[in-house]
Amino acid sequence: MKFSTRAIHTGQEADPTTGATIVPIYATSTYTQEAVGVNKGFDYSRTVNPTRVALEKQLASLEDAAYCSAFSSGMGATNTVMNLLSAGDHVVVGEDLYGGTYRLFSKVYERYGITFSYVDAAVPENVRAALRANTKLIWLETPTNPLLNLVDIASVTALKTAGVLLCVDNTFASPYFQRPLALGADIVVHSTTKYIGGHSDVVGGAVITNDADIAQRVKFHQNAVGAVPGPFDAFLTMRGAKTLALRMREHAKNAGEVARFLAGRSDVAKVYYPGLESHPQYALAKRQMRGFGGMVSLVPAGPVERAMAFARSLKLFSLAESLGGVESLINHPARMTHGSIPKEERERRGITDSLLRLSVGIEDVEDLIADLRQALDTTAELASAKA
Ligand code: P1T
């Protein structure tokens, strides 16, 4: 079956007890057993819940994978991948990544005796150079948050040595546009809060793999640690994911038009979008992704005050963290999503105080461009002010 069919049907057979066409919200923490150890495959909802199981089957199928464990947040998913490691292990990390992931690695797992090397993974050779005898994991985002750089997943797969797992955070592309497992990744992580849920009304995460051993270890930790989504969250995420293909096509179409509009403005200093021919990795984006996604970052010309005034002047793009919902958002990475990265480190990576990130929604693109135009025009006099 094709992607859109699987999104709507996989894991979502009619309910065996009632025939309900839509998977019910099984709001139960526990299950009545016939005798000790005799049950219908369900014993306690931290361990297993039918609504969550349906979501897990749906999400696995979207990544063309065999196994999925769902979590209460993207960070819950990331944390569980880190639970597979032990003190003394080393991780190579693509340095352009979500600030919360950096915070988890640097503030939590360093204390547990795990070490990290941050590299510019846009150059795969940098990943190879950072590998050590005790490296157990390579952690990548592509496209990256917030600079929309790409990492060549197949090239990194080719250089990894035995015993090293490759995990790709596929949140920005979504499984509709990119399937890292097919390119050799061992594990895919999602913040399902974003495109998969798609409506900014639920927080969640997923760990997806084709490797039975990894899947079993992730399941063990899902139950042992307990960062599981409740049945209501699983239901909302599953409902959102049914329309992922439709939404992603619109997000990408709108983002492409927004990026081209911004690139044509002389008062916009920089535009980051993998679908622009001027993007340094445009060729890789065309090869590795089936579409360029819905995220666009920009630096308006002028000082920081201009960037801030521009963000405030927008009427349709809400100033908010997160991304991937049907509504457009604008985010200031330096002070919002990436505030946990020290300023010096942030700036070295290119996350300047004037960088803004757009999550381009699926409103009518003419309205979105009109909003961006009026916000640029009304702040134009600040563009020539000295930085
Ligand atoms: O917020 P949560 O569902 O826990 O997901 C964390 C996460 C993981 N990976 C990536 C690539 C992410 O972007 C995020 C969350 N990001 C934001 C909230 C944001 O606005 O960038």
Side-chain angles (χ1 to χ4, degrees):
M1 281 190 292
K2 304 278 195 209
F3 189 92
S4 299
T5 314
R6 284 183 271 128
I8 292 166
H9 291 284
T10 305
Q12 301 164 78
E13 295 75 26
D15 181 52
T17 49
T18 64
T21 306
I22 299 303
V23 175
I25 300 168
Y26 281 92
T28 186
S29 59
T30 192
Y31 306 82
T32 301
Q33 318 220 359
E34 284 167 43
V36 176
V38 183
N39 57 49
K40 296 183 164 66
F42 298 92
D43 53 0
Y44 186 62
S45 272
R46 171 165 34 76
T47 317
V48 63
N49 175 282
T51 318
R52 193 176 89 211
V53 169
L55 170 67
E56 291 173 341
K57 288 184 181 164
Q58 180 199 35
L59 296 184
S61 85
L62 295 185
E63 287 283 358
D64 285 328
Y67 310 101
C68 169
S69 288
F71 292 89
S72 54
S73 66
M75 291 319 303
T78 299
N79 181 66
T80 304
V81 174
M82 295 306 293
N83 287 162
L84 305 181
L85 304 184
S86 301
D89 289 348
H90 172 251
V91 184
V92 178
V93 186
E95 65 181 6
D96 185 14
L97 83 169
Y98 172 54
T101 307
Y102 175 81
R103 178 176 56 202
L104 179 73
F105 293 171
S106 60
K107 294 277 175 16
V108 179
Y109 281 96
E110 277 184 25
R111 282 198 289 117
Y112 291 175
I114 293 174
T115 51
F116 298 85
S117 299
Y118 295 89
V119 301
D120 174 4
V123 182
E125 194 47 45
N126 293 340
V127 176
R128 188 205 302 276
L131 293 174
R132 300 182 190 160
N134 61 338
T135 304
K136 291 286 161 51
L137 180 69
I138 300 170
W139 184 279
L140 302 176
E141 280 181 20
T142 179
T144 61
N145 181 0
L147 291 170
L148 301 161
N149 289 315
L150 267 67
V151 179
D152 186 335
I153 300 170
S155 296
V156 173
T157 299
L159 61 77
K160 83 188 168 80
T161 45
V164 181
L165 297 178
L166 171 58
C167 180
V168 176
D169 182 334
N170 202 24
T171 299
F172 265 42
S174 91
Y176 185 64
F177 283 143
Q178 180 172 271
R179 311 273 162 71
L181 298 177
L183 300 168
D186 301 288
I187 305 172
V188 162
V189 159
H190 277 286
S191 167
T192 58
T193 316
K194 311 299 176 332
Y195 288 109
I196 288 177
H199 297 75
S200 305
D201 53 9
V202 59
V203 172
V207 177
I208 299 169
T209 182
N210 271 319
D211 183 305
D213 176 56
I214 295 171
Q216 184 271 324
R217 287 158 62 208
V218 170
K219 266 273 168 266
F220 170 83
H221 285 93
Q222 181 193 38
N223 181 50
V225 176
V228 291
F232 291 89
D233 291 355
F235 174 85
L236 275 179
T237 307
M238 197 168 13
R239 182 166 71 163
K242 290 180 201 217
T243 54
L244 183 63
L246 274 176
R247 287 185 285 105
M248 289 316 295
R249 288 198 287 266
E250 280 305 293
H251 280 297
K253 187 165 71 63
N254 285 359
E257 290 192 35
V258 162
R260 281 187 288 278
F261 163 75
L262 294 172
R265 290 279 304 209
S266 57
D267 61 344
V268 173
K270 272 192 193 148
V271 182
Y272 303 82
Y273 185 63
L276 287 179
E277 285 180 25
S278 56
H279 188 287
Q281 295 159 302
Y282 176 67
L284 172 60
K286 279 210 299 195
R287 196 165 72 236
Q288 181 162 278
M289 304 175 72
R290 293 174 57 221
F292 302 115
M295 301 300 294
V296 178
S297 292
L298 73 146
V299 176
V304 178
E305 293 70 34
R306 202 281 173 118
M308 293 298 115
F310 165 74
R312 275 198 312 274
S313 306
L314 289 164
K315 297 193 166 63
L316 283 176
F317 289 78
S318 307
L319 180 65
E321 306 220 2
S322 204
L323 59 114
V326 292
E327 65 291 313
S328 294
L329 304 178
I330 183 161
N331 164 57
H332 181 232
R335 295 230 309 272
M336 293 167 75
T337 48
H338 293 69
S340 53
I341 302 175
K343 185 174 166 66
E344 204 175 289
E345 185 55 26
R346 229 172 32 225
E347 293 198 337
R348 192 186 63 71
R349 296 178 190 187
I351 306 172
T352 62
D353 284 349
S354 288
L355 180 77
L356 298 169
R357 189 192 73 185
L358 303 177
S359 175
V360 181
I362 62 170
E363 302 95 334
D364 193 298
V365 73
E366 284 184 27
D367 292 329
L368 297 180
I369 288 178
D371 193 28
L372 293 163
R373 182 182 290 113
Q374 67 76 22
L376 287 170
D377 289 347
T378 54
T379 58
E381 77 278 10
L382 288 170
S384 48
K386 267 212 154 352

